């Protein structure tokens, strides 16, 4: 893989190759978010709660495209809504809704950086109802519009490539 990437001419991958690569990155990120949660330092009793919480996080991370609320999680897992909030505060030092919003923002930035998906498609993939809601959400989270963010990231990637090319030429 490294050899193929090093020998690849030009910075622009085909849409299909880039899409596959982004899918792999998304899977790795989901694995990271699902399984790399620090265990509590105190009592062994919390291990059962921790595994229960990991299952809950796995579900949330793999169903970002669905509407998720404390009520929907309660009906699926039969964990009290207050207990869900307590688990988020205890293990991640955040609330359920803040965690969900941050995860959706992370997914949106991946799609904007590495795909050609439009706002409506990204909105659907991260569980928002429309491209207008996606634009409002993204601007609230980042302070910029999705289009400006995408253009900035593409320009940054191009400049990184040009710098890498200059380094290879100078060798």
């Amino acid at each position: 893989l490294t050899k193929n990437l090093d020998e690849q001419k030009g910075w622009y991958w085909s849409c299909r190759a880039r899409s596959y690569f982004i899918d792999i990155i998304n899977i790795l990120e989901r694995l990271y978010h699902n399984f790399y949660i620090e265990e509590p330092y105190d009592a062994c009793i919390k291990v059962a709660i921790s595994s229960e919480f990991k299952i809950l996080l796995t579900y949330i991370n793999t169903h970002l495209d669905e509407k998720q609320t404390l009520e929907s999680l309660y009906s699926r897992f039969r964990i009290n809504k207050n207990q869900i909030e307590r688990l988020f505060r205890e293990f991640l030092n955040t609330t359920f809704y803040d965690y969900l919003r941050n995860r959706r923002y992370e997914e949106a930035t991946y799609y904007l950086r590495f795909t050609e998906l439009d706002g409506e498609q990204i909105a659907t993939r991260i569980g928002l109802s429309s491209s207008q809601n996606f634009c409002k959400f993204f601007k609230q989270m980042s302070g910029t519009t999705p289009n400006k963010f995408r253009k900035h990231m593409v320009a940054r990637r191009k400049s990184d490539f040009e710098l890498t090319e200059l380094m290879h030429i100078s060798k």
Side-chain angles (χ1 to χ4, degrees):
L1 180 64
T2 303
K3 181 182 175 191
N4 288 339
L5 289 174
D6 287 340
E7 293 176 357
Q8 186 174 8
K9 305 291 184 202
W11 67 275
Y12 191 78
W13 291 7
S14 71
C15 288
R16 181 175 293 169
R18 186 177 15 174
S19 176
Y20 289 149
F21 183 71
I22 293 308
D23 288 342
I24 291 168
I25 297 297
N26 279 328
I27 290 168
L28 292 173
E29 279 291 315
R30 285 184 179 156
L31 286 171
Y32 174 82
H33 284 288
N34 291 340
F35 299 108
Y36 183 73
I37 301 169
E38 292 183 21
E39 295 294 333
Y41 294 111
D42 49 357
C44 298
I45 299 168
K46 294 185 180 180
V47 173
I49 294 173
S50 176
S51 64
E52 180 181 67
F53 187 59
K54 285 183 181 181
I55 292 169
L56 184 70
L57 282 179
T58 300
Y59 177 80
I60 292 167
N61 290 332
T62 55
H63 293 86
L64 284 176
D65 59 333
E66 298 173 9
K67 182 179 179 182
Q68 296 185 23
T69 63
L70 289 171
E71 291 80 19
S72 67
L73 293 176
Y74 168 73
S75 65
R76 179 155 186 91
F77 294 100
R78 296 295 181 214
I79 301 173
N80 183 310
K81 294 181 271 186
N82 292 331
Q83 185 179 2
I84 293 172
E85 279 294 336
R86 185 182 57 73
L87 290 170
F88 273 92
R89 278 192 213 102
E90 183 178 341
F91 290 110
L92 300 178
N93 200 27
T94 188
T95 65
F96 162 70
Y97 289 108
D98 285 343
Y99 177 80
L100 183 61
R101 186 173 57 239
N102 288 332
R103 284 293 297 125
R104 286 181 170 158
Y105 175 71
E106 288 173 8
E107 288 290 312
T109 58
Y110 279 121
Y111 290 128
L112 289 171
R113 290 161 90 190
F114 299 110
T115 70
E116 304 280 328
L117 296 174
D118 63 25
E120 191 69 37
Q121 293 168 317
I122 295 173
T124 301
R125 290 183 181 202
I126 65 169
L128 299 175
S129 59
S130 67
S131 61
Q132 292 84 7
N133 287 343
F134 169 63
C135 287
K136 288 177 190 174
F137 166 78
F138 195 85
K139 185 152 185 160
Q140 178 187 15
M141 293 296 289
S142 69
T144 187
T145 65
N147 286 336
K148 286 182 183 177
F149 179 83
R150 177 177 272 162
K151 286 178 184 176
H152 173 73
M153 286 297 149
V154 168
R156 189 169 159 193
R157 205 167 53 238
K158 284 181 183 179
S159 68
D160 287 348
F161 172 74
E162 290 168 358
L163 181 62
T164 304
E165 285 292 308
L166 287 173
M167 290 172 59
H168 284 306
I169 290 171
S170 66
K171 287 182 181 180

